[in-house]
Tab-separated table of all heavy atoms in Angstrom:
chain	number	residue	atom	x	y	z
A	51	ARG	N	13.957	28.084	-4.459
A	51	ARG	CA	12.977	27.000	-4.337
A	51	ARG	C	13.025	26.106	-5.566
A	51	ARG	O	12.955	24.869	-5.458
A	51	ARG	CB	11.572	27.571	-4.160
A	51	ARG	CG	10.537	26.525	-3.738
A	51	ARG	CD	9.125	27.027	-3.890
A	51	ARG	NE	8.749	27.157	-5.300
A	51	ARG	CZ	7.520	27.468	-5.723
A	51	ARG	NH1	6.567	27.693	-4.839
A	51	ARG	NH2	7.257	27.575	-7.006
A	52	ASP	N	13.148	26.703	-6.756
A	52	ASP	CA	13.222	25.907	-7.978
A	52	ASP	C	14.482	25.045	-8.009
A	52	ASP	O	14.461	23.899	-8.480
A	52	ASP	CB	13.178	26.814	-9.197
A	52	ASP	CG	11.762	27.265	-9.530
A	52	ASP	OD1	10.821	26.817	-8.832
A	52	ASP	OD2	11.599	28.053	-10.479
A	53	GLU	N	15.584	25.572	-7.508
A	53	GLU	CA	16.822	24.800	-7.467
A	53	GLU	C	16.681	23.589	-6.549
A	53	GLU	O	17.113	22.482	-6.882
A	53	GLU	CB	17.975	25.683	-6.987
A	53	GLU	CG	18.399	26.755	-7.985
A	53	GLU	CD	19.493	27.643	-7.428
A	53	GLU	OE1	20.035	27.303	-6.351
A	53	GLU	OE2	19.819	28.666	-8.069
A	54	ILE	N	16.067	23.792	-5.391
A	54	ILE	CA	15.880	22.690	-4.451
A	54	ILE	C	14.912	21.662	-5.039
A	54	ILE	O	15.110	20.451	-4.905
A	54	ILE	CB	15.369	23.215	-3.100
A	54	ILE	CG1	16.345	24.223	-2.512
A	54	ILE	CG2	15.167	22.058	-2.124
A	54	ILE	CD1	15.802	24.979	-1.304
A	55	ALA	N	13.859	22.144	-5.700
A	55	ALA	CA	12.906	21.237	-6.346
A	55	ALA	C	13.616	20.359	-7.364
A	55	ALA	O	13.376	19.146	-7.444
A	55	ALA	CB	11.785	22.030	-7.004
A	56	GLY	N	14.511	20.955	-8.150
A	56	GLY	CA	15.269	20.189	-9.130
A	56	GLY	C	16.151	19.140	-8.481
A	56	GLY	O	16.303	18.018	-9.005
A	57	GLN	N	16.709	19.480	-7.322
A	57	GLN	CA	17.546	18.530	-6.593
A	57	GLN	C	16.719	17.341	-6.113
A	57	GLN	O	17.166	16.189	-6.199
A	57	GLN	CB	18.205	19.238	-5.403
A	57	GLN	CG	19.164	18.363	-4.608
A	57	GLN	CD	19.802	19.115	-3.438
A	57	GLN	OE1	19.628	20.334	-3.299
A	57	GLN	NE2	20.529	18.399	-2.602
A	58	VAL	N	15.516	17.611	-5.624
A	58	VAL	CA	14.646	16.533	-5.150
A	58	VAL	C	14.222	15.633	-6.315
A	58	VAL	O	14.296	14.394	-6.224
A	58	VAL	CB	13.414	17.108	-4.433
A	58	VAL	CG1	12.390	16.004	-4.128
A	58	VAL	CG2	13.827	17.817	-3.151
A	59	ILE	N	13.798	16.234	-7.417
A	59	ILE	CA	13.368	15.441	-8.576
A	59	ILE	C	14.518	14.607	-9.112
A	59	ILE	O	14.349	13.430	-9.470
A	59	ILE	CB	12.805	16.355	-9.679
A	59	ILE	CG1	11.554	17.082	-9.181
A	59	ILE	CG2	12.484	15.548	-10.933
A	59	ILE	CD1	10.419	16.183	-8.789
A	60	SER	N	15.708	15.188	-9.170
A	60	SER	CA	16.877	14.448	-9.652
A	60	SER	C	17.161	13.232	-8.774
A	60	SER	O	17.470	12.138	-9.280
A	60	SER	CB	18.097	15.374	-9.688
A	60	SER	OG	19.255	14.669	-10.112
A	61	ALA	N	17.042	13.411	-7.458
A	61	ALA	CA	17.261	12.285	-6.538
A	61	ALA	C	16.217	11.191	-6.753
A	61	ALA	O	16.540	9.995	-6.730
A	61	ALA	CB	17.236	12.773	-5.094
A	62	LEU	N	14.967	11.585	-6.968
A	62	LEU	CA	13.914	10.602	-7.241
A	62	LEU	C	14.203	9.835	-8.523
A	62	LEU	O	14.029	8.606	-8.581
A	62	LEU	CB	12.558	11.309	-7.356
A	62	LEU	CG	11.969	11.910	-6.077
A	62	LEU	CD1	10.781	12.796	-6.415
A	62	LEU	CD2	11.559	10.816	-5.104
A	63	GLN	N	14.647	10.532	-9.542
A	63	GLN	CA	14.903	9.914	-10.841
A	63	GLN	C	16.091	8.964	-10.822
A	63	GLN	O	16.221	8.123	-11.713
A	63	GLN	CB	15.128	10.994	-11.894
A	63	GLN	CG	13.883	11.802	-12.220
A	63	GLN	CD	14.178	12.966	-13.149
A	63	GLN	OE1	15.253	13.573	-13.094
A	63	GLN	NE2	13.232	13.289	-14.010
A	64	GLN	N	16.949	9.097	-9.827
A	64	GLN	CA	18.150	8.264	-9.759
A	64	GLN	C	18.061	7.154	-8.714
A	64	GLN	O	18.972	6.345	-8.599
A	64	GLN	CB	19.367	9.142	-9.450
A	64	GLN	CG	19.682	10.158	-10.527
A	64	GLN	CD	20.853	11.049	-10.153
A	64	GLN	OE1	21.928	10.569	-9.800
A	64	GLN	NE2	20.653	12.352	-10.203
A	65	HIS	N	16.957	7.113	-7.966
A	65	HIS	CA	16.819	6.114	-6.906
A	65	HIS	C	16.228	4.829	-7.503
A	65	HIS	O	15.082	4.830	-7.968
A	65	HIS	CB	15.906	6.646	-5.802
A	65	HIS	CG	15.982	5.870	-4.531
A	65	HIS	ND1	15.507	4.585	-4.428
A	65	HIS	CD2	16.489	6.196	-3.304
A	65	HIS	CE1	15.694	4.144	-3.191
A	65	HIS	NE2	16.291	5.100	-2.491
A	66	PRO	N	16.969	3.724	-7.493
A	66	PRO	CA	16.480	2.514	-8.182
A	66	PRO	C	15.175	1.966	-7.642
A	66	PRO	O	14.326	1.488	-8.406
A	66	PRO	CB	17.643	1.520	-8.001
A	66	PRO	CG	18.439	2.041	-6.852
A	66	PRO	CD	18.298	3.526	-6.891
A	67	HIS	N	14.978	2.034	-6.319
A	67	HIS	CA	13.743	1.491	-5.751
A	67	HIS	C	12.550	2.407	-6.019
A	67	HIS	O	11.432	1.929	-6.230
A	67	HIS	CB	13.904	1.262	-4.247
A	67	HIS	CG	14.720	0.049	-3.920
A	67	HIS	ND1	14.205	-1.227	-3.951
A	67	HIS	CD2	16.031	-0.072	-3.585
A	67	HIS	CE1	15.146	-2.094	-3.627
A	67	HIS	NE2	16.268	-1.417	-3.401
A	68	VAL	N	12.773	3.714	-6.019
A	68	VAL	CA	11.692	4.639	-6.376
A	68	VAL	C	11.251	4.385	-7.816
A	68	VAL	O	10.047	4.306	-8.113
A	68	VAL	CB	12.139	6.104	-6.195
A	68	VAL	CG1	11.100	7.061	-6.780
A	68	VAL	CG2	12.369	6.412	-4.721
A	69	LEU	N	12.211	4.234	-8.709
A	69	LEU	CA	11.877	3.972	-10.117
A	69	LEU	C	11.147	2.645	-10.262
A	69	LEU	O	10.168	2.546	-11.008
A	69	LEU	CB	13.152	3.972	-10.957
A	69	LEU	CG	13.928	5.289	-11.035
A	69	LEU	CD1	15.187	5.115	-11.878
A	69	LEU	CD2	13.059	6.402	-11.596
A	70	ALA	N	11.608	1.621	-9.541
A	70	ALA	CA	10.998	0.298	-9.669
A	70	ALA	C	9.593	0.259	-9.086
A	70	ALA	O	8.750	-0.518	-9.559
A	70	ALA	CB	11.881	-0.751	-8.986
A	71	TRP	N	9.321	1.074	-8.060
A	71	TRP	CA	7.996	1.054	-7.434
A	71	TRP	C	6.999	1.965	-8.140
A	71	TRP	O	5.793	1.724	-8.089
A	71	TRP	CB	8.094	1.454	-5.959
A	71	TRP	CG	6.917	1.002	-5.138
A	71	TRP	CD1	6.637	-0.260	-4.721
A	71	TRP	CD2	5.842	1.829	-4.656
A	71	TRP	NE1	5.463	-0.287	-3.995
A	71	TRP	CE2	4.960	0.985	-3.933
A	71	TRP	CE3	5.543	3.184	-4.740
A	71	TRP	CZ2	3.803	1.454	-3.325
A	71	TRP	CZ3	4.391	3.651	-4.122
A	71	TRP	CH2	3.534	2.796	-3.430
A	72	THR	N	7.489	3.009	-8.818
A	72	THR	CA	6.578	3.996	-9.404
A	72	THR	C	6.484	3.963	-10.921
A	72	THR	O	5.474	4.364	-11.483
A	72	THR	CB	6.999	5.424	-9.003
A	72	THR	OG1	8.290	5.725	-9.565
A	72	THR	CG2	7.051	5.570	-7.485
A	73	HIS	N	7.531	3.530	-11.621
A	73	HIS	CA	7.559	3.586	-13.095
A	73	HIS	C	7.091	4.963	-13.591
A	73	HIS	O	6.075	5.095	-14.279
A	73	HIS	CB	6.695	2.478	-13.691
A	73	HIS	CG	7.183	1.104	-13.352
A	73	HIS	ND1	8.178	0.474	-14.055
A	73	HIS	CD2	6.845	0.263	-12.337
A	73	HIS	CE1	8.425	-0.715	-13.525
A	73	HIS	NE2	7.635	-0.862	-12.472
A	74	PRO	N	7.821	6.009	-13.223
A	74	PRO	CA	7.335	7.379	-13.470
A	74	PRO	C	7.297	7.777	-14.936
A	74	PRO	O	8.186	7.435	-15.712
A	74	PRO	CB	8.338	8.243	-12.695
A	74	PRO	CG	9.595	7.423	-12.698
A	74	PRO	CD	9.149	5.998	-12.596
A	75	ARG	N	6.232	8.482	-15.294
A	75	ARG	CA	6.161	9.162	-16.586
A	75	ARG	C	6.433	10.657	-16.390
A	75	ARG	O	7.240	11.247	-17.099
A	75	ARG	CB	4.786	8.964	-17.225
A	75	ARG	CG	4.676	9.559	-18.641
A	75	ARG	CD	3.228	9.618	-19.118
A	75	ARG	NE	2.569	8.334	-19.068
A	75	ARG	CZ	2.684	7.388	-20.002
A	75	ARG	NH1	3.453	7.587	-21.059
A	75	ARG	NH2	2.031	6.249	-19.886
A	76	PHE	N	5.734	11.252	-15.407
A	76	PHE	CA	5.913	12.667	-15.104
A	76	PHE	C	6.010	12.872	-13.600
A	76	PHE	O	5.428	12.114	-12.818
A	76	PHE	CB	4.731	13.503	-15.632
A	76	PHE	CG	4.533	13.446	-17.114
A	76	PHE	CD1	3.306	13.042	-17.641
A	76	PHE	CD2	5.543	13.802	-17.990
A	76	PHE	CE1	3.101	12.992	-19.008
A	76	PHE	CE2	5.351	13.753	-19.357
A	76	PHE	CZ	4.129	13.345	-19.866
A	77	PHE	N	6.719	13.938	-13.216
A	77	PHE	CA	6.785	14.378	-11.822
A	77	PHE	C	6.103	15.737	-11.708
A	77	PHE	O	6.240	16.587	-12.589
A	77	PHE	CB	8.235	14.513	-11.352
A	77	PHE	CG	8.963	13.203	-11.220
A	77	PHE	CD1	9.637	12.663	-12.296
A	77	PHE	CD2	8.969	12.516	-10.023
A	77	PHE	CE1	10.317	11.463	-12.189
A	77	PHE	CE2	9.645	11.310	-9.897
A	77	PHE	CZ	10.326	10.774	-10.978
A	78	SER	N	5.407	15.948	-10.593
A	78	SER	CA	4.773	17.240	-10.350
A	78	SER	C	5.805	18.249	-9.856
A	78	SER	O	6.934	17.899	-9.486
A	78	SER	CB	3.680	17.109	-9.289
A	78	SER	OG	4.272	16.977	-8.005
Side-chain angles (χ1 to χ4, degrees):
R51 192 194 70 174
D52 280 357
E53 290 177 10
I54 301 170
Q57 183 180 353
V58 171
I59 297 299
S60 178
L62 291 169
Q63 292 173 326
Q64 296 177 53
H65 195 291
H67 284 280
V68 171
L69 296 179
W71 200 74
T72 65
H73 297 277
R75 185 193 305 278
F76 299 124
F77 291 89
S78 75

